[in-house]
Amino acid sequence: MHPHLHTKTNRGCEEVMTALDECHAQGFIHKLFGGCNDIKTQVNKCLRAERLERTAKNRELAKQKREKTLAMWKEIDENS
């Protein structure tokens, strides 16, 4: 399974997701016999790359916020 496609966080995968939608539109039998498997794998790889990029960015922002908070607490302790 994959998350909802065509969201604001998955803009970089739009082309691959559109190809998957087109493949799925070819019908159930096409999907049943693995006609969309390669495209599905590409979608999964693209979504994973997007997620890893987002988590790295969020981790860096959290680290900066934590450092700022620790600096504020250090200043409070020194002034108390």
Side-chain angles (χ1 to χ4, degrees), residues 20-37:
L20 182 63
D21 289 340
E22 290 171 0
C23 185
H24 284 175
Q26 292 181 5
F28 174 73
I29 299 297
H30 184 69
K31 289 191 297 184
L32 180 68
F33 288 109
C36 300
N37 288 353

Side-chain angles (χ1 to χ4, degrees), residues 1 26 35 46 56-58 61-62 71:
M1 288 299 289
Q26 292 181 5
C46 185
K57 184 178 174 183
N58 288 342
L61 290 173

Side-chain angles (χ1 to χ4, degrees), residues 12-76:
C13 302
E14 191 73 33
E15 184 178 310
V16 181
M17 291 184 292
T18 301
L20 182 63
D21 289 340
E22 290 171 0
C23 185
H24 284 175
Q26 292 181 5
F28 174 73
I29 299 297
H30 184 69
K31 289 191 297 184
L32 180 68
F33 288 109
C36 300
N37 288 353
D38 292 337
I39 298 171
K40 170 73 169 154
T41 301
Q42 292 174 5
V43 169
N44 288 343
K45 286 180 181 179
C46 185
L47 291 175
R48 184 179 196 289
E50 293 271 325
R51 181 179 49 83
L52 291 176
E53 185 179 314
R54 262 192 331 270
T55 56
K57 184 178 174 183
N58 288 342
R59 188 176 300 114
E60 184 60 34
L61 290 173
K63 184 179 176 182
Q64 292 172 1
K65 186 175 179 182
R66 177 69 178 158
E67 289 172 355
K68 182 179 175 183
T69 302
L70 290 175
M72 290 163 94
W73 277 109
K74 184 177 180 180
E75 182 181 331
I76 291 171

Side-chain angles (χ1 to χ4, degrees), residues 1-14:
M1 288 299 289
H2 52 74
H4 291 288
L5 302 178
H6 306 289
T7 63
K8 65 179 180 167
T9 59
N10 299 327
R11 295 285 184 218
C13 302
E14 191 73 33

